[in-house]
Amino acid sequence: MSHLHYQGHSVESRDGETVLDAFLRAGFDIAFSCKSGVCRRCMMRSIEGEVPDAAAAKLPQRLRDAGYLLACQCKPVSDMVLTPRSLEDMVTTCMLMQVDEQEDGNPILNFEACTELDFHAGQPARLVGESRESEPEMVLLGHHEREGWIQARLMLQGRPRPPWMSDPDAAFGAEFELRGPFPSEPASEMPGLAPDPSLWAALDDGKRVRAVLETFYRKVYADPLLQPYFERVTMDRVIGKQYAFLMQSMTGEAVYLGERPRNSHHWMVIPDSIFDHRQKLMLDAQREHGLSDDLIERWSAFEEHFRPDIVKYSPWPRRIGDQVVDTERYDTVRLDEATVCDHCGAEIDAGTVVRYHMRLGKVSCAACSGALNVTS
Ligand code: HEM
């Protein structure tokens, strides 16, 4: 018997049973179809535990290396923590048909996908490149009127084009890979979940919540993938906010004064894989504090519920009602009082005009802002 964990839920597998059958028996909402290792609909990723060879044998090496398996082919040999597929790992091979040049330098690619590509107009995707961080964005536009090719605008934004499309006339038939497509920003924010006051009571009226959060954020602040998001945020502040948010969510009492998850994370690019990684650290912290599977499942529901407001592949603007507030830019201000440069610590006199970042609030002195000069 192995203990299987999936998005906050747990189930014990039975002798000879596959992961898919165990999940279906327990009533987990899992996509599946052929159950014979062909269609790949039940493909998922293991982030803890051993993947039996037979469970991944039919997958390409790239996916095997990332921990992917087919749930219908996986008879567990150890406890496992499993997550759904991450969109950033999903790559489709495409064949270029035509390049339509555009005045702004962001060409429209007309192409055919070698396997089915399910998308709707406006969805972002990326052109697979050398490193994930530098992959140019594409916006999927729809289909070519006559030819039926898929059309996407390649957002080069002044960057050089990949070598295979440097001569648009010779590019016909070139193969490239497309990552995604990724979800566009949802039109509305997630409403809150119904409270679960008996959960709060079972967590010692919040004492165990605070203890778990302290362990969890110690892990987050020491974690190379998550720590960068928390630059300039103290651990005490984030624990306090998270505690109040969970207390309000679980008890229904109005104690949380912070922003809703969508706005507080609006600028953070958090792909599914990072969200899953966070949830794994949370699970580790909850287990270290001896929480039962039932308590973990009920707590996780309050976090998983907000995944659509937090997971994103490019930043979203901050929204207040119908208003869009653009915080991801610089502005200038004349200082009423002297201050110090946030980059080198040099003094900046009162009356100086400085550039500052709207969200971070960081100011630069004349030496640090270089060409974008600051004047007195
Ligand atoms: C990988 C996933 C996540 C990352 C990287 C992340 C990161 C952060 C960061 C950096 C802050 C501090 C923002 C600030 O004070 O300026 C924050 C705040 C917060 N996060 Fe998350 N978070 C994640 C997932 C979640 C989840 C699953 C929830 C629960 C629904 C959540 C709820 C909150 C709340 C309530 C705040 C306080 C908002 C405020 O500033 O008022 N976060 N998060």
Side-chain angles (χ1 to χ4, degrees), residues 229-230 237 241-242 256 258-259 264-265 268 278 310:
Y229 292 94
F230 291 85
R237 176 189 142 96
K241 292 261 185 178
Q242 195 67 241
Y256 175 66
E259 297 224 69
S264 55
H265 302 86
M268 302 177 210
R278 178 210 190 259
I310 294 177

Side-chain angles (χ1 to χ4, degrees), residues 183-190 262 308-312 316 319:
S184 337
E185 185 185 354
S188 56
E189 208 172 359
M190 295 300 290
R262 176 154 159 169
D309 279 344
I310 294 177
V311 166
K312 68 188 85 61
W316 293 337
R319 292 185 188 275

